[in-house]
Each structure stands twice: as C-alpha cells, then as structure tokens.
Amino acid sequence: MEYLVGIQGPDFVLVAADNVAASSIIQMKHDQDKMFKLSEKILLLCVGEAGDTAQFAEYIQKNLQLYKMRNGYELSPSAAANFTRKNLADYLRSRTPYHVNLLLAGYDETDGPGLYYMDYLSSLSKAPFAAHGYGAYLTLSILDQHYKPDLTREEAVDLLKKCIEELRKRFIMNLPSFTVRLIDKEGIHDLEKLSSGAK
Amino acid sequence: MALEDICGFQDTPLHRKCFPASHFEDTAISFDCYSAEFRGLKKSGRDSGIPLQFFLPSLPNSSPFNHRSTSHFSPSKHSVTVRRPFPLSHGTTTLGFIFQGGVIAAADTRASAGGLVACPAVHKITPIHSHLVVTSSGSGADCMLWERILAREIRLYQLRHRRCLSICGTAKLLSFMLHPFKGTDVCVALTLCGWDKEAGNTDSSFITDNSSSAGFSSQDVSAIAYPSSPNRGPKLIYVCSDGARLQGDVFSVGSGSPYAYGVLDGRLRWNLSKDEAVSLAREAVFRATHRDAYSGNNVDLFHVTAQGWSRRKREELKEEYYRDMERRTKTVGERKRETALDALG
C-alpha cells in the first residue's frame, strides 16, 4: 500500500515517497514523512511493517551519526548501503527479523550519485531507478520506457509526475500526496510536494 | 514503584517471603537466579530505569537465546505467550484531537470480552502527569499495566533530571519499551494527549528529531498553524504495540474508530470554541457507540491545556440517545407542519 520511487541522474538522485500512514482500512496520517536523513547527502526511504520501519531506520541513522562522531567524517552512500544490508541480513535469521523495504539514495564526492534498492530479504542492488510497493508494478514499465542515463532534473521530475499520474489513475489505494527530495553535490533539497489531484 | 527504585531498594528473597503480594512483578525473577548475565541486566535495568523485571515470565523450561543482543534494554528470555481462556475483542472507541484551546481526549467506557460486556464503567483515559493523559485501547489488562509502567518511568525521569520529559520523548520511550513484545499477544494502542510545558530538548544540529521524520519542515500546508515554538504546546501522539508511533492532529482508535472519524472529519476545525470541541467529541463517541456493538455505556472526556488536564463529568449515552430521538421526531413534526401550512397557504 505504500510507494517509494527513486531516479538517478548524471549528478543527482530524485526520490519520492507517499505520505499515508495507514492502519488496516483507516488512513491515520496524511503527512507522514518516510524519508530518514542519514547524513548530509544520504537519505533512507523506508516502508514496511508498522513499527519495524521507524525502529530500523532510526537504528541505522543513529549508528551513522555515531560513526561520524567517532571518525570525524561520514560514511559514503555505498558503505552506508552495505552497512544497512549487513544489519538487515543479520536480523533476518534471528527470532525478530525486520520486515522493511528500503531505498537508499546518496551523493558521493568521488563516485557521484547512487541509488540502492534493498528489500526485506536484505538483497542489495545499485540501480538507475527503482520502486517499492504495489505501485511499483504499475510504474516500473513507465520508468523503463522513458529513463535515460543523462536525464536532466526537469526530465526526472516529469518522469516522476508520469508515475504518480499512473498511480492516480490505476492504483486502488488513494495516495493523495508525495514528498519529493533531490540529492546532489550541494546536499538534500526539498522539492514541492506532488499531489495526485484526488484529495 | 518509583520510590522503591529511586531509593535503590534491593528486593531480597526474605522480604519477598514476608510480603508476597507487594512485588508481584519480582516473583518471576526468584525462579531464575542462576544466570549472571540476567542479574547484570536486572541491575542495568534499575540504573537505566527500564523495568526489565516485567519482561521475564516464570518459565523454567524456556531456554535463553540471543534476543536482539545489540539492544541494551532487550530481555534475555523470549516471552512465551500464554493461551487466552476466551477470545478477547478489542472493542473501544477512543479519540483525541488538537484545536486552538488545547487537546480533547474522549472515550467510551465499555469493556467487552467476546460478546459479553465485562464492565460497563471502565476508565479508558488515564492521567499520567499533570499535563498528559493517555487513552487506551486493545487489551484492557495490557493497557492498565503499560499505563502504570509509563507513569512510573515518567516520574523517575522527572526525579532524576528535574524536568518533565517531553510528550515526544514519552512516546518514544513507550514505543521502545513495547518493541521487545512485538509479535507476542501484547495488544496496546495508546494515544498520548498532552501539553508540552517548556521547549523540548533539542537534539544535536545534525538530525532534528520530529517523531522519526527526516527533520525537514514537511508538514501539510492545510495543517493547523502551530505556536511559534514547535516544541511547546499541544501534542497528540499515537503509540501502538506493533511499533507504530505517529504524531498528528486527530486520532481515533478502536473498533468504533471509523464511525468516530466520520463525525470528526466533517466538523473538526482549528478555531472551535471549547464548548464546540467538547460537543463534537461527545457526538463522535456517541455515534460510534451507537453503531459499534463493542463500544457503549458512557463517555469520558478530558481537556488538556497549558494549565493541565481537567475532566468532564462522565455522561451516560443512553440519555443522549433518547434526547437525539426526541430531537429527530421534533424536526420531523415541524417539517410536516410546515409542509401542511404551505399546502394550505
């Protein structure tokens, strides 16, 4: 029922997440922020089981903060993604696995932008674009069709709008608004919240 | 409970034998004094204030295993669930909302066990401290226990740090205390309704904590305008035993919650007067109790402001139902008379 999407450009990563926090059939919140800031240029988008999302994401967030305090510099997005994956994998075969699906988006000084797809079985993959949730079934073909490795920021936002329009049209759940953020060498920027039109 | 902790009172077996009833939670530990790790945890529990003794049921056969050993506060034994003697239904209507005059918390008073009304006059809204009340839904026993634990931990924090923990902090503490029980039959859904008296503790500038969000100002444009200091003023946070922790402006929890949302969503605005807000809350609970079989009997209403919480007299909804019926027949009668007059004139 939740939706995450990420699109990587030549020097930026664009990510969006829906804003609904639901409990069975009721929407309890319409302005839930599902993105967790791991460092100045890394965002973790986290969806999944009710308590696991916040618990796991905050655990990763605080550990990365601790790393910065101890060592004086931040982890790179690739290192952060692998650290997250390792934690998820360690818990997977314990009595208390975390059921969360993640997108990690970041910008590295040397490697450039990166988008990492991780699912609840702790499989990790660096991808040019990715999506989570039932909405992914509807939008991945749109991303496949229109994505180019050298797309500009405007083109990326247009592609995102196409995806959201498709969700509005065909997805059974009403997802009224989406938080959109862009990461580039300057850091994390809030973009305008995208609304699907249906309130 | 809190006084015992703050004095460092050591519970000895001799004391327990003389006063068996006074420390029900500690009897579990008397069976398992062998593992030093456990004793270490118990000590750390006292220092950190997390009530570890509640996590350890008296099961001599259960083997300890590695239960999220990374967490400092995790229990050393897996709490095996006890089979319920009869099906428990989570029948309740509770609601809370924020408006210009503070926070309103309302709830029905029926405790149901399957199809039986176990008690028609239960308190589902409990004050935790002068500026915080909590509405409970889910399993009655679990809620009662966790409210008591929360009250104890908040009081301990207040005694140790000489200031009140913020509502957000309280919610986070409760959420982390409930986390080890995720997956067991503990069923607790609490809504913390309170007023932050002072500016809350600001985190380091690296991450600003706003109930686990990324810390950006991503509030909905149509949301209520909050007072200038974001950490002061009314707060409403929903905490659930499966780990959800949500801050918002209006929450309704329980089997009657969809009906209550139907009434609230239509008429809730920021600039309601206190009387309008009270009457809206009453109406929402009334309509929910009318439709939901597992909610009913009376409605409790609390109002939290900067001066603290105040409680409205418990009101029976049977009277309200008959008043509503009378009002309807009156309006129908009036409309009939009007149409008759129009027909004549």
Side-chain angles (χ1 to χ4, degrees):
Chain A
M1 297 302 177
E2 303 172 289
Y3 181 66
L4 300 177
V5 64
I7 304 174
Q8 182 205 319
D11 60 348
F12 67 91
V13 190
L14 181 72
V15 286
D18 76 289
N19 287 332
V20 169
S23 166
S24 85
I25 58 163
I26 305 273
Q27 282 187 12
M28 298 210 73
K29 257 191 104 155
H30 315 286
D31 56 359
Q32 174 82 330
D33 193 357
K34 302 184 185 180
M35 304 195 192
F36 296 83
K37 181 179 163 190
L38 298 186
S39 78
E40 290 307 317
K41 294 183 190 158
I42 306 181
L43 271 180
L44 180 70
L45 287 75
C46 190
V47 291
E49 206 178 313
D52 288 353
T53 50
Q55 202 81 17
F56 184 73
E58 284 192 354
Y59 175 69
I60 301 293
Q61 194 183 46
K62 302 312 174 194
N63 268 289
L64 260 61
Q65 259 186 296
L66 183 62
Y67 184 92
K68 185 185 178 190
M69 283 182 209
R70 281 188 176 145
N71 302 294
Y73 56 87
E74 292 171 342
L75 271 178
S76 69
S78 155
N82 279 288
F83 171 73
T84 309
R85 190 212 68 81
K86 176 81 168 61
N87 266 287
L88 207 50
D90 285 340
Y91 281 114
L92 185 61
R93 289 188 193 263
S94 71
R95 294 296 295 254
T96 51
Y98 284 111
H99 198 292
V100 289
N101 292 313
L102 311 165
L103 282 183
L104 195 141
Y107 188 92
D108 192 21
E109 296 303 325
T110 40
D111 298 330
L115 177 68
Y116 296 87
Y117 171 98
M118 215 176 317
D119 75 356
Y120 71 100
L121 296 168
S122 77
S123 60
L124 172 66
S125 173
K126 188 172 191 300
F129 56 86
H132 272 299
Y134 288 122
Y137 289 98
L138 295 165
T139 52
L140 277 173
S141 52
I142 299 176
L143 290 164
D144 278 327
Q145 198 184 8
H146 296 293
Y147 178 79
K148 313 191 297 286
D150 59 349
L151 85 178
T152 67
R153 283 148 216 255
E154 291 76 28
E155 284 170 347
V157 174
D158 279 337
L159 185 50
L160 184 63
K161 284 188 181 156
K162 279 200 185 77
C163 291
I164 289 174
E165 176 57 27
E166 178 63 19
L167 287 182
R168 188 199 63 78
K169 198 163 174 220
R170 289 288 180 192
F171 190 40
I172 200 175
M173 269 266 302
N174 175 34
L175 298 173
S177 74
F178 296 81
T179 311
V180 184
R181 295 208 166 103
L182 185 122
I183 312 179
D184 62 8
K185 69 176 187 342
E186 250 93 68
I188 303 176
H189 312 281
D190 279 6
L191 295 185
E192 204 184 283
K193 247 192 197 181
L194 283 181
S195 127
S196 69
K199 280 282 183 274
Chain B
M1 275 212 283
L3 191 56
E4 168 201 325
D5 261 354
I6 205 78
C7 299
F9 174 62
Q10 292 299 324
D11 196 42
T12 64
L14 182 63
H15 176 93
R16 210 173 303 117
K17 224 167 61 164
C18 297
F19 307 97
S22 61
H23 294 289
F24 69 93
E25 63 257 27
D26 287 336
T27 52
I29 306 166
S30 61
F31 290 114
D32 187 13
C33 307
Y34 304 115
S35 101
E37 182 205 308
F38 149 73
R39 229 179 285 134
L41 270 175
K42 181 176 180 209
K43 188 163 184 303
S44 73
R46 289 208 184 278
D47 289 339
S48 63
I50 302 298
L52 288 174
Q53 33 287 41
F54 294 105
F55 296 171
L56 305 169
S58 51
L59 296 165
N61 294 327
S62 64
S63 53
F65 63 92
N66 206 16
H67 186 283
R68 297 237 183 108
S69 55
T70 49
S71 163
H72 175 61
F73 304 135
S74 63
S76 63
K77 275 195 165 34
H78 174 53
S79 40
V80 174
T81 59
V82 180
R83 293 190 106 249
R84 292 219 167 98
F86 46 78
L88 291 171
S89 171
H90 313 311
T92 298
T93 307
T94 72
L95 60 92
F97 60 84
I98 298 183
F99 70 114
Q100 57 81 16
V103 193
I104 297 276
D108 74 309
T109 60
R110 177 176 291 182
S112 54
L116 165 73
V117 175
C119 176
V122 160
H123 293 273
K124 297 193 190 179
I125 314 186
T126 324
I128 299 287
H129 61 71
S130 61
H131 287 72
L132 174 63
V133 303
V134 59
T135 72
S136 59
S137 115
S139 153
D142 287 335
C143 285
M144 238 179 256
L145 175 68
W146 283 100
E147 277 165 12
R148 194 147 180 251
I149 294 176
L150 183 66
R152 169 188 127 143
E153 291 306 318
I154 297 308
R155 181 70 182 135
L156 279 173
Y157 185 95
Q158 196 175 14
L159 290 169
R160 289 187 177 125
H161 299 91
R162 278 190 238 148
R163 64 177 193 91
C164 236
L165 188 57
S166 66
I167 311 287
C168 281
T170 310
K172 209 162 195 184
L173 180 65
L174 180 63
S175 177
F176 283 11
M177 286 199 289
L178 282 171
H179 187 72
F181 295 95
K182 191 176 156 96
T184 66
D185 275 334
V186 170
C187 181
V188 167
L190 307 176
T191 313
L192 305 178
C193 317
W195 189 288
D196 271 324
K197 283 175 281 189
E198 45 183 76
N201 201 16
T202 50
D203 279 353
S204 71
S205 56
F206 183 76
I207 307 279
T208 55
D209 214 67
N210 182 19
S211 58
S212 80
S213 78
F216 303 104
S217 57
S218 55
Q219 294 298 321
D220 207 358
V221 173
S222 60
I224 295 169
Y226 282 97
S228 53
S229 164
N231 284 328
R232 219 187 303 245
K235 276 264 174 26
L236 187 64
I237 308 186
Y238 167 69
V239 180
C240 176
S241 53
D242 48 306
R245 187 171 20 104
L246 302 170
Q247 185 177 339
D249 312 322
V250 53
F251 284 115
S252 175
V253 186
S255 54
S257 67
Y259 309 112
Y261 272 122
V263 174
L264 285 174
D265 285 335
R267 293 200 342 228
L268 183 61
R269 290 177 338 268
W270 170 257
N271 45 16
L272 290 170
S273 72
K274 181 193 165 199
D275 290 332
E276 285 172 340
V278 165
S279 110
L280 176 62
R282 267 177 74 248
E283 174 97 21
V285 175
F286 168 60
R287 298 284 165 207
T289 56
H290 178 57
R291 282 289 174 184
D292 181 29
Y294 300 107
S295 309
N297 296 101
N298 311 71
V299 56
D300 273 338
L301 219 144
F302 277 68
H303 181 209
V304 188
T305 58
Q307 282 72 43
W309 58 261
S310 66
R311 190 194 165 157
R312 203 163 175 272
K313 192 157 150 21
R314 171 175 283 192
E315 205 181 318
E316 230 209 298
L317 287 173
K318 193 169 61 174
E319 321 285 319
E320 179 63 29
Y321 174 72
Y322 288 122
R323 275 197 293 265
D324 192 53
M325 283 287 108
E326 270 182 42
R327 248 176 275 138
R328 272 178 214 272
T329 45
K330 212 167 64 168
T331 46
V332 166
E334 275 175 13
R335 214 179 304 152
K336 249 194 240 164
R337 254 177 282 122
E338 276 175 26
T339 48
L341 284 173
D342 287 342
L344 291 176

